[in-house]
Amino acid sequence: MADAFDVIVIGGGPAGYPTAIRAAQNGLSVACIDEWKNHDGAAAFGGTCLNAGCIPSKALLESTELYHRLREEFAVHGIRASGVELDLPAMQSRRAGIVKKMTDGIAALFKAGGVTPLQGHGKLLPGKRVEFTAHDGSRRELTAKHVVLASGSAPIELKAAPFDGRRIIDSWEALELGSVPKRLGIIGAGVIGLELGSVWRRLGSEVIVLEALADFLATVDRQLAREALRQLTRQGLDIRLGAKVTGAKATDGAVEVSYTDLKGEQSVTVDTLIVAVGRRPYTRDLLAPGTGVKLDERGFIEVDDHCRTGAEGVWAVGDCVRGPMLAHKGKEEGIMVADLIAGRFGEVNYRAIPSVIYTAPEIATVGATEEQVKASGRAYKVGLFPFLASGRARAMEATQGFVKLIAAQDDDEILGVHIIGPLAGELIAEAVLALEYSASSEDLQRTMHAHPTLSEAVHEAALAADKRSIDSINKR
Ligand code: FAD
Ligand code: AMP
C-alpha cells in the first residue's frame, strides 16, 4: 500500500469522514485514520456521533417516546392499550444495531469512494508526516500534501465526581445501561443531560438534574428556555438550578451527591449518577513536538476562519476546534477544507448553525436570540405563533410550544428563529435556509406552505412579525 497521500485525515467522526469523502470526490488520494473502539472492543468509524452520541441517543429517544406515548397518550386517540411492557434488552439491541449499520455504512462509503481506511492511532510529525500505529501495534510512517486533524472531543470529568464506570458514569455509558435506575442523578442541564434525562425518565426513573447555573439553558432565547423548563418539569424531571456539585461518594448500592445552592449545603442520594457537564477537545498524543500546530488555553487546536492551523498544509475541523460542538458544524468545516485543498471555493457560515435539543417537545434554534438582538441595539420585531393554533399539531396531539421569529425593524432581515414544539429539529431547516440567503420575514410570508403542516407555524410566525398572522391572535 502506498504511504504517500494527497490528504490524510486523522479522525473518522462526523467531521473527519466527510472531509475524507469530499477530498476523494475532488480527485485526491485520501487516507482516514481512526482509533475508535466500542465497549465490546470492536473498531468502528463514525466517532462519538455515530457510536456514542447523536445516533444512539436519538435511537433511544425515539423508542422511549413511543413507549411513553403508548402508555400515557394513546387513550386520547381512542386507542386503549393494556399489558404494555418494556423490553429493555430489545430496545438496547435495536440501538446497537442502528449504530452498527451506520458505522459499517461509513466503511462502505470509504470503499466506494476510494478512501483508504486505516484503523489505529495517528500522530502528526513535523513536515506533514504522520505516524500510524495500527490496532495490532504495527507502525508505519505516511506522508501527505495536506493533513486534516479531526480528533474530536471527550467528556469532561468533574474532580468532585470522578467517573468510576459503575455508578458515576459518562454519557456513553448512560446510553448503554442494562437496567432502569430507580433514582438517577444527572450533573449538568445541558443538551446531553436533558436528552439522557428524558430517556430514563420515560422508562420510569426518578430523575434529578443538578445544574450549577441559575439560568436554565443559559444560551437559549429566554422565552424558549422558560417554556422548555415548564414542559420538562411537567414531565417529572426534577431540575434543580443554581446547584453546584461539590462531591459524590459511591458506595456499593448508591451515590451520595453533595451540592451547594442558595440555601447552603445539600445532598441527594441516587442509584446512578451521570456526569454531563460538557466536553473538552481531545488531542491526546496527536501532535509530536515541532509540528507548528498550536493549542489555545482551553486545549482547542487554533485555527482561522477557514480551519487553517498556521502550519502549512495542516488543517483542523470539528469538536477539536473553536465553535459549537455539533456534528453538522464539523461536517461543514470538513467539506470546506476538502474543497479549499482542491482549489475550490469553501466557506462556513458560522452565523447560521442550527442547534437542536431532542427532548419532547424538541427545541431548535438558529441565529440571534431576542436578548442578543436587544443588546446589539438594533430595532427589531418579533413574530410568535403557538402550535395550539396549528391544525396539524392538534391532529398530532402535540400543541405545546411555539415558533418565534425575530426580524430587523429597518430592512426586515430575519435575525433568529427559535422553535419549541413537535419536530422543531426538522422545522428549523427552513429558518437556516432563510438565514443563509439573508431572507426577510416578507420572503417567508410570501412563500407558500402546504396545509395542514407543522411548517405553517413558521410561515405564520413570519406573518406575525408584521401582525399579519391569519391563524392566531397577533399579540406577544
Ligand atoms: P468525534 O465524533 O469525537 O470523532 C473523532 C474521532 O477521532 C473519534 O473516532 C476518535 O477515536 C478519533 N481520534 C481522535 N484522536 C485520534 C488519533 N490521534 N488517531 C486516530 N483517531 C483519533 N451533535 C449533534 O450535532 N447532534 C446531536 O444530536 C448530538 N447528540 C449528542 C449526544 C451525545 C450523548 C453526545 C456525547 C454528543 C452529541 N453530539 C451531537 C455532539 C457530536 O457527537 C459531536 O459534535 C461530534 O461527534 C464531533 O465530531 P468530530 O468528528 O469532531 O469528533
Ligand atoms: P453542556 O456544556 O451544554 O453540555 O452543559 C453542561 C452543563 O453542566 C452546563 O450548563 C454547566 O453549567 C453544568 N455544570 C458544570 N459543572 C457543574 C457542577 N459542578 N455542578 C452542576 N452543574 C455543572
Side-chain angles (χ1 to χ4, degrees):
M1 205 189 298
D3 65 357
F5 295 90
D6 291 325
V7 181
I8 295 175
V9 184
I10 303 182
Y17 87 77
T19 315
I21 288 175
R22 175 54 65 86
Q25 286 170 348
N26 286 338
L28 302 168
S29 64
V30 189
C32 182
I33 303 177
D34 189 89
E35 68 183 6
W36 188 277
K37 275 191 178 179
N38 276 312
H39 284 142
D40 62 3
F45 283 101
T48 306
C49 170
L50 272 75
N51 291 289
C54 324
I55 300 304
S57 59
K58 266 80 259 179
L60 287 185
L61 280 158
E62 193 64 35
S63 298
T64 57
E65 179 65 2
L66 287 177
Y67 176 69
H68 166 80
R69 295 196 69 193
L70 178 55
R71 283 164 52 105
E72 311 286 336
E73 294 175 8
F74 272 35
V76 77
H77 290 271
I79 303 169
R80 261 187 259 142
S82 58
V84 177
E85 272 178 50
L86 172 65
D87 180 351
L88 186 58
M91 196 178 276
Q92 288 292 29
S93 89
R94 188 190 91 98
R95 186 256 314 140
I98 291 167
V99 167
K100 175 92 172 77
K101 280 206 185 71
M102 297 294 294
T103 56
D104 285 353
I106 296 178
L109 289 173
F110 280 176
K111 194 161 179 220
V115 174
T116 302
L118 295 172
Q119 289 183 300
H121 185 75
K123 180 177 187 169
L124 180 68
L125 310 175
K128 290 181 286 184
R129 290 171 304 128
V130 172
E131 179 187 84
F132 167 63
T133 310
H135 284 314
D136 66 7
S138 60
R139 204 166 271 190
R140 287 159 59 188
E141 197 173 294
L142 315 169
T143 61
K145 294 183 188 141
H146 294 268
V147 178
V148 185
L149 307 171
S151 56
S153 62
I156 292 176
E157 187 165 41
L158 266 189
K159 270 208 194 82
F163 298 123
D164 67 10
R166 259 169 33 85
R167 298 218 165 261
I168 307 181
I169 59 175
D170 65 20
S171 54
W172 188 11
E173 289 157 334
L175 288 166
E176 300 189 359
L177 289 176
S179 60
V180 181
K182 220 165 152 324
R183 265 192 126 200
L184 175 67
I186 300 178
I187 314 181
V191 178
I192 294 173
L194 294 177
E195 290 186 2
L196 288 169
S198 298
V199 163
W200 294 106
R201 174 74 201 128
R202 291 169 192 167
L203 296 184
S205 293
E206 185 187 336
V207 177
I208 299 141
V209 186
L210 302 169
E211 167 55 53
L213 298 178
D215 283 336
F216 183 62
L217 292 175
T219 57
V220 170
D221 187 277
R222 290 297 77 209
Q223 200 174 355
L224 216 73
R226 275 196 299 276
E227 177 67 13
L229 183 58
R230 194 164 37 238
Q231 297 295 343
L232 294 171
T233 305
R234 246 187 36 188
Q235 289 161 23
L237 291 181
D238 176 357
I239 300 170
R240 303 184 188 176
L241 299 173
K244 188 168 166 41
V245 172
T246 51
K249 208 167 73 204
T251 57
D252 257 0
V255 189
E256 197 182 321
V257 189
S258 32
Y259 63 93
T260 53
D261 64 11
L262 282 176
K263 292 194 211 110
E265 298 280 324
Q266 310 278 350
S267 81
V268 60
T269 303
V270 294
D271 307 327
T272 305
L273 179 65
I274 303 172
V275 181
V277 294
R279 300 177 62 82
R280 59 174 172 80
Y282 179 80
T283 54
R284 192 187 61 81
D285 199 28
L286 177 69
L287 304 167
T291 61
V293 175
K294 293 197 194 86
L295 302 184
D296 70 15
E297 66 285 353
R298 293 187 302 153
F300 289 96
I301 298 172
E302 275 186 12
V303 287
D304 66 11
D305 286 349
H306 291 93
C307 295
R308 294 186 180 89
T309 63
E312 193 275 319
V314 182
W315 314 69
V317 296
D319 278 13
C320 63
V321 305
R322 83 287 172 265
M325 285 183 165
L326 292 168
H328 42 278
K329 173 262 193 186
K331 177 183 184 182
E332 293 308 319
E333 287 180 333
I335 289 171
M336 167 182 73
V337 165
D339 282 349
L340 290 172
I341 288 173
R344 293 170 185 242
F345 174 79
E347 191 75 43
V348 169
N349 181 357
Y350 287 97
R351 287 174 302 120
I353 301 178
S355 176
V356 182
I357 310 178
Y358 296 82
T359 45
E362 290 183 356
I363 299 159
T365 69
V366 66
T369 62
E370 183 170 356
E371 291 72 31
Q372 285 167 335
V373 177
K374 197 179 272 175
S376 76
R378 193 164 179 193
Y380 65 94
K381 52 191 179 180
V382 172
L384 204 73
F385 185 81
F387 283 103
L388 261 177
S390 151
R392 187 66 193 277
R394 284 223 177 248
M396 293 168 70
E397 283 296 330
T399 51
Q400 294 136 357
F402 53 82
V403 177
K404 174 174 181 177
L405 180 142
I406 306 166
Q409 196 66 260
D410 47 14
D411 63 1
D412 194 33
E413 183 181 357
I414 299 171
L415 303 174
V417 177
H418 310 277
I419 307 176
I420 177 165
L423 295 177
E426 303 297 329
L427 297 178
I428 202 69
E430 178 179 11
V432 179
L433 195 67
L435 259 71
E436 186 65 37
Y437 284 90
S438 306
S440 62
S441 85
E442 188 181 345
D443 289 328
L444 270 194
Q445 291 174 22
R446 292 186 183 281
T447 302
M448 200 181 294
H449 290 68
H451 175 76
T453 59
L454 295 173
S455 71
E456 287 172 295
V458 178
H459 186 215
E460 287 285 331
L463 289 163
D466 284 330
K467 304 218 172 345
R468 293 159 72 85
S469 171
I470 302 295
D471 289 328
S472 75
I473 300 159
N474 289 285
K475 61 163 198 219
R476 280 196 64 193

